[in-house]
Amino acid sequence: MLKSLIDQLLASKLFSLYQKYFGVKLVKFLLAGLPSFLVAVPVNWFLVEQLDVNKGLSYACVLYMQVTINFFVCRFWVFDAAPDKSLGLQYFQFLAGIFFFRLMDWGLYYILVSLCGLFYLGVQVCNIVIFAFLKFHFSKQVIERKTRNECDLI
C-alpha cells in the first residue's frame, strides 16, 4: 500500500512540476553549503587552537562566516536574484532568517537529545534534512522575491 502511494506521488504531475522547478535549484542549494562547511572546520580549529579564542565565540564567528558565504553563493549561483531588491536588504533578511532556523535547529536538537534521550547523531542527520528544505524555501523567497513596494506597483 505504501509503495503504491509513493508510486502515485512520483507519477503525479504536481511532483513532476515540483521536481522540474525546484530540482536543480535544490541540488545547487545543497551543494552551496559545501564551500562554507569546508572552510568552517579549519577556521574554527585555527581560532580555538592557535589564537586561543573562546570556543563559543569562535563557533559564533564561524556560523556568521558560513551564513555570509552561503548568502553570496545562493544569490549569485543558486537563485535568480530580484533585480530591484538591494543586496543589503537581501543579506539582512537572509542573515536574520537563517539564524532563526539555526536557533530552531538547536532547540529541536536539544529537546530531542537532552530531554527525550534520542541518539544525537540521528537527530543531527534528521535536522539537516528537515531544515535544509525549510532553509531552501526561505532563501528562495528572500533572494527572488521583490520588495513589498515593488509588488504593489505590479
Side-chain angles (χ1 to χ4, degrees):
M1 176 157 169
L2 180 60
K3 184 181 181 322
S4 171
L5 288 173
I6 292 171
D7 289 341
Q8 287 176 1
L9 173 65
L10 293 176
S12 73
K13 289 190 184 283
L14 179 62
F15 181 78
S16 177
L17 288 172
Y18 180 86
Q19 186 179 19
K20 181 179 178 183
Y21 184 69
F22 289 119
V24 172
K25 288 184 180 184
L26 180 58
V27 170
K28 286 171 114 179
F29 179 79
L30 296 173
L31 291 174
L34 287 177
S36 64
F37 175 75
L38 294 174
V39 171
V41 173
V43 167
N44 199 23
W45 174 85
F46 181 77
L47 290 172
V48 171
E49 299 297 330
Q50 300 300 311
L51 299 181
D52 201 30
V53 174
N54 173 280
K55 290 176 185 171
L57 179 60
S58 174
Y59 190 59
C61 292
V62 166
L63 285 177
Y64 179 75
M65 178 200 68
Q66 281 185 286
V67 171
T68 300
I69 291 170
N70 289 347
F71 168 74
F72 286 104
V73 173
C74 283
R75 188 172 194 278
F76 293 108
W77 184 57
V78 177
F79 300 114
D80 304 317
D84 297 334
K85 192 171 181 184
S86 77
L87 177 72
L89 178 61
Q90 286 179 343
Y91 177 71
F92 176 75
Q93 289 174 338
F94 185 87
L95 186 69
I98 294 300
F99 276 124
F100 174 77
F101 282 115
R102 294 276 186 165
L103 180 62
M104 295 297 101
D105 182 347
W106 176 84
L108 181 60
Y109 176 90
Y110 178 81
I111 289 169
L112 294 176
V113 172
S114 298
L115 302 179
C116 297
L118 297 179
F119 182 57
Y120 73 100
L121 290 178
V123 172
Q124 183 178 359
V125 169
C126 286
N127 276 7
I128 288 169
V129 172
I130 291 166
F131 286 98
F133 289 103
L134 295 172
K135 290 189 291 186
F136 168 76
H137 286 288
F138 168 79
S139 300
K140 183 177 183 329
Q141 284 296 318
V142 167
I143 294 172
E144 292 186 345
R145 181 187 66 210
K146 294 183 177 187
T147 62
R148 181 177 304 266
N149 291 342
E150 292 163 354
C151 291
D152 292 342
L153 295 175
I154 295 176

